[in-house]
């Protein structure tokens, strides 16, 4: 009994390793699809109106600060730090720069406290920057560059606000660069945070649904599967409870340690309520929207953003699970494996559904064959026994079949469900004209159903046409579901990441020059697209000559 129990739990553990990397993108049923951004672009500063403290890079070192995002540590910018600082030289297409590079997030090193909010984080970062600048003694601190990923970019904006609006504080950097920062708020927080923090709790709901739906089929198969001896043994040994205990342990894992709940848990510090997207359910202050977005410092600022290809959920979660720092410098592009695994698992669940559907149908055929008067007449006892056996098996197989289909449906819709959480998939039910249904009698044209734009085009009731034709019409609203798909990096909407108030914009460039193509939120820190943007930032005047930093 003990060995069998361990075998079942081991099977659940194997399943766990697969579940965390699987699902399928399904755009969903759509009446109308709209693409693109909905937030109005914030008026940028013209490139030639920016006050540059250094028109060209000094031969002396400047300091480049690298700031991690939510929950980030020293690994967040590891490869960019090492390549830029000359610690490593893994990528021949990227040169070390004449700068001292400081990465925040080191144990016992520079960093900031997330629990106190963005404003407090700005003060923490300022204090640590003062210490770092004293250590490296750059010739002009306003020649320093601050680069932040995700929340790190917002924390740097808070730092800039703090040091330029607090008496007695001096600027510690003069140029700001962000990668995937939610400058107009993060809808993943508005939708994903628990209700106790003003959110909708959708991430927790999805994690619980993931647990229930994906584990239901394998557990039902273990208890009610086609192996009659095994199913009897399970019931005979009365270890159904042990299997359910294994399910409970798995669900605790999913809601506590899986890639979904890594996101869910990491968005709980108080700092995250400071940059939710507009949220009518939250009564607290929003430091980003109310304070930072009302302030545009007169320094060079560049906002880069990512656009991941579909299915964004599994590409993003694959990179989160593996960690982009596990790749060599600027090589964290691969994310197809998790999509392939997702398709394999979806197919596996559907195959299991079909197998048990076939088993159930065969049992039904046997029931139909023996459930007739002749069997009852000649051998009623045997007939009743056989009917009970086949009926029991059919019931068990229908249970397994249904549970596997539930898991299949979850995998089919996971990407769409995740996009709804991050704000990249929205549905809106609205009226679009009217349906006019008319029937003409007495020699008329019969029944007709047409769409009309206005109510006046379809007066309801009875009217009489020439020739004695009687026309009876009904009018009812035409309701459509409008579906909007928005580009994102799998966590932050592109429209939020690229709309930095007061950003420096080169009129010769397009949005594509600020976009990291096919790059998810994690890959923004270590992909080939990251290398391309940093090279353009440090080598050319594309984004402002302030950022030009000579190779060593």
């Amino acid at each position: 009994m003990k060995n069998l129990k361990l075998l079942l739990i081991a099977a659940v553990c194997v399943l766990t390793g697969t579940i965390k990397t699987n699902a399928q993108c399904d755009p969903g049923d759509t009446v109308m699809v709209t693409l693109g951004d909905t937030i109005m672009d914030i008026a940028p500063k013209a490139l030639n109106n920016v006050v540059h403290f250094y028109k060209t890079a000094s031969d002396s070192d400047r300091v480049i600060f690298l700031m991690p995002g939510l929950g980030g540590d020293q690994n967040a910018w590891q490869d960019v730090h090492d390549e830029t600082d000359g610690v490593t030289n893994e990528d021949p297409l990227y040169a070390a720069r004449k700068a001292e590079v400081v990465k925040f997030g080191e144990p016992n090193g520079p960093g900031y406290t997330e629990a106190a909010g963005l404003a407090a984080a700005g003060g923490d970062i300022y204090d640590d920057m003062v210490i770092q600048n004293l250590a490296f003694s750059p010739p002009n601190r306003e020649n320093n560059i601050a680069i932040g990923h995700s929340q790190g970019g917002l924390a740097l904006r808070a730092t800039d606000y703090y040091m330029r609006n607090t008496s007695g504080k001096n600027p510690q950097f003069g140029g700001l660069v962000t990668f995937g920062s939610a400058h107009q708020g993060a809808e993943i927080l508005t939708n994903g945070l628990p209700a106790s923090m003003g959110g909708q709790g959708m991430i927790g709901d999805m994690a619980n649904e993931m647990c229930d739906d994906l584990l239901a089929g394998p557990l039902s198969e273990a208890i009610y599967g086609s192996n009659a001896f095994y199913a009897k043994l399970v019931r005979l040994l009365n270890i159904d409870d042990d299997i359910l205990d294994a399910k409970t342990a798995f669900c605790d894992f999913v809601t506590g340690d899986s890639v979904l709940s890594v996101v869910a848990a990491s968005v709980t510090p108080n700092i995250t309520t400071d940059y939710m997207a507009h949220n009518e359910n939250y009564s607290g202050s929003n430091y980003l929207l109310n304070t930072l977005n009302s302030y545009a410092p007169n320094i060079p600022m560049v906002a880069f953003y990512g656009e991941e290809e579909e299915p964004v959920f599994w590409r993003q979660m694959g990179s989160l699970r593996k960690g982009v720092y596990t790749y060599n410098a600027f090589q964290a592009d691969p994310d197809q494996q998790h999509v392939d695994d997702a398709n394999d698992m979806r197919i596996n669940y559907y195959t299991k559904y079909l197998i048990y559907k076939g088993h159930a149908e065969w049992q039904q055929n046997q029931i139909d064959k023996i459930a007739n008067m002749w069997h009852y007449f000649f051998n009623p006892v045997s007939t009743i026994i056989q009917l009970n056996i086949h009926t029991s098996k059919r019931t068990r197989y229908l249970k397994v079949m249904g549970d596997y289909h539930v898991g299949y449906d979850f995998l089919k819709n996971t990407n769409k469900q995740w996009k709804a959480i991050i704000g990249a998939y929205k549905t809106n039910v609205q009226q679009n004209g009217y349906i006019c249904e008319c029937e003409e009698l007495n020699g008329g044209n019969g029944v007709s159903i047409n769409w009309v734009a206005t109510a006046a085009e379809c007066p309801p009731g009875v009217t009489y046409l020439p020739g004695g034709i009687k026309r009876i019409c009904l009018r009812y609203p035409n309701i459509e579901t409008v579906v909007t798909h928005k580009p994102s990096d799998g966590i932050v909407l592109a429209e939020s990441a690229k709309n930095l108030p007061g950003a420096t914009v080169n009129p010769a460039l397009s949005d594509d020059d600020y976009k990291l193509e096919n790059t998810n939120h994690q890959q923004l820190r270590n992909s080939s697209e990251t290398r391309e943007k940093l090279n353009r930032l440090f080598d050319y005047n594309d984004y402002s000559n302030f950022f030009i930093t000579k190779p060593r």
Side-chain angles (χ1 to χ4, degrees), residues 232-307:
K232 289 178 181 178
L233 182 62
V234 169
R235 289 189 291 276
L236 179 64
L237 297 177
N238 194 29
I239 61 171
D240 302 61
D241 290 341
D242 291 334
I243 296 177
L244 295 177
D245 287 344
K247 176 191 175 186
T248 301
F250 171 78
C251 293
D252 289 343
F253 170 82
V254 168
T255 56
D257 297 315
S258 75
V259 287
L260 269 180
S261 50
V262 165
V263 178
S266 67
V267 297
T268 53
N270 291 335
I271 194 170
T272 54
T273 57
D274 274 347
Y275 61 96
M276 286 192 292
H278 179 69
N279 184 2
E280 295 179 353
N281 296 322
Y282 179 64
S283 59
S285 62
N286 187 309
Y287 189 72
L288 171 68
L289 301 182
N290 297 336
T291 301
L292 293 184
N293 281 4
S294 301
Y295 163 75
N298 195 28
I299 64 172
M301 297 191 298
V302 179
F304 294 115
Y305 64 98
E307 281 192 13

Side-chain angles (χ1 to χ4, degrees), residues 87-406:
V87 177
T88 60
N89 186 23
E90 295 178 345
D91 194 324
L93 301 180
Y94 186 83
R97 302 292 164 169
K98 293 178 69 74
E100 297 290 350
V101 186
V102 176
K103 57 176 179 174
F104 277 59
E106 294 276 7
N108 303 316
Y112 62 94
T113 301
E114 294 181 329
L118 276 177
D124 289 345
I125 293 169
Y126 174 85
D127 292 340
D128 280 341
M129 283 184 170
V130 170
I131 295 172
Q132 297 300 316
N133 280 325
L134 287 174
F136 293 116
S137 300
N140 188 327
R141 295 183 182 185
E142 293 199 66
N143 191 40
N144 295 340
I145 301 172
I147 300 177
H149 171 250
S150 191
Q151 178 184 280
L154 305 181
L156 287 173
R157 288 181 59 193
T159 304
D160 183 81
Y161 182 88
Y162 173 81
M163 67 188 185
R164 298 181 191 278
N165 292 277
T166 303
S167 177
K169 305 300 179 182
N170 298 311
Q172 303 298 310
F173 60 86
L176 175 63
V177 182
T178 65
F179 284 82
S181 298
H183 297 298
Q184 299 303 312
E187 292 210 32
I188 186 175
L189 302 180
T190 303
N191 297 325
L193 282 173
S196 60
M197 298 180 68
Q200 302 297 318
M202 293 171 64
I203 291 180
D205 291 344
M206 184 177 180
N208 288 324
E209 183 179 347
M210 177 184 185
C211 163
D212 292 339
D213 292 356
L214 293 185
L215 200 54
L219 279 177
S220 289
E221 185 175 33
I223 300 174
Y224 307 111
S226 59
N227 189 323
F229 173 77
Y230 176 71
K232 289 178 181 178
L233 182 62
V234 169
R235 289 189 291 276
L236 179 64
L237 297 177
N238 194 29
I239 61 171
D240 302 61
D241 290 341
D242 291 334
I243 296 177
L244 295 177
D245 287 344
K247 176 191 175 186
T248 301
F250 171 78
C251 293
D252 289 343
F253 170 82
V254 168
T255 56
D257 297 315
S258 75
V259 287
L260 269 180
S261 50
V262 165
V263 178
S266 67
V267 297
T268 53
N270 291 335
I271 194 170
T272 54
T273 57
D274 274 347
Y275 61 96
M276 286 192 292
H278 179 69
N279 184 2
E280 295 179 353
N281 296 322
Y282 179 64
S283 59
S285 62
N286 187 309
Y287 189 72
L288 171 68
L289 301 182
N290 297 336
T291 301
L292 293 184
N293 281 4
S294 301
Y295 163 75
N298 195 28
I299 64 172
M301 297 191 298
V302 179
F304 294 115
Y305 64 98
E307 281 192 13
E308 181 59 286
E309 59 183 323
E310 299 289 356
V312 298
F313 175 78
W314 295 108
R315 296 185 188 280
Q316 160 62 31
M317 290 303 169
S319 294
L320 177 63
R321 183 188 184 201
K322 182 173 177 61
V324 296
Y325 57 86
T326 62
Y327 294 90
N328 286 339
F330 306 116
Q331 299 300 311
D333 294 346
D335 55 19
Q336 182 61 37
Q337 182 60 52
H338 293 83
V339 178
D340 295 340
D341 291 343
N343 289 331
D344 289 344
M345 190 178 188
R346 182 179 60 89
I347 292 170
N348 178 61
Y349 269 65
Y350 192 71
T351 301
K352 291 281 191 178
Y353 158 76
L354 292 177
I355 289 172
Y356 282 96
K357 180 182 179 184
H359 288 331
E361 290 174 347
W362 190 88
Q363 296 297 331
Q364 183 62 54
N365 289 336
Q366 300 307 303
I367 293 171
D368 294 341
K369 286 180 181 180
I370 63 176
N372 60 71
M373 61 181 296
W374 298 109
H375 281 82
Y376 278 112
F377 181 77
F378 289 109
N379 197 343
V381 175
S382 176
T383 299
I384 292 173
I385 292 173
Q386 291 298 314
L387 282 175
N388 286 338
I389 291 173
H390 290 296
T391 301
S392 175
K393 288 183 177 180
R394 177 181 177 273
T395 301
R396 298 203 313 268
Y397 297 155
L398 286 175
K399 167 66 173 171
V400 181
M401 178 194 79
D403 285 344
Y404 266 115
H405 200 277
V406 167

Side-chain angles (χ1 to χ4, degrees), residues 54-66:
Y54 276 68
K55 292 298 183 183
T56 58
S58 167
D59 288 338
S60 301
D61 282 351
R62 71 198 323 173
V63 178
I64 299 176
F65 297 106
L66 300 174

Side-chain angles (χ1 to χ4, degrees), residues 475-489:
R475 182 187 70 216
Y476 45 90
N478 179 46
I479 304 300
E480 293 181 343
T481 300
V482 179
V483 177
T484 302
H485 294 273
K486 295 185 178 183
S488 74
D489 60 17

Side-chain angles (χ1 to χ4, degrees), residues 60-90:
S60 301
D61 282 351
R62 71 198 323 173
V63 178
I64 299 176
F65 297 106
L66 300 174
M67 193 65 57
L70 178 61
D73 56 21
Q74 69 273 18
N75 293 316
W77 285 106
Q78 182 69 52
D79 291 282
V80 171
H81 170 273
D82 291 352
E83 292 289 289
T84 307
D85 206 35
V87 177
T88 60
N89 186 23
E90 295 178 345

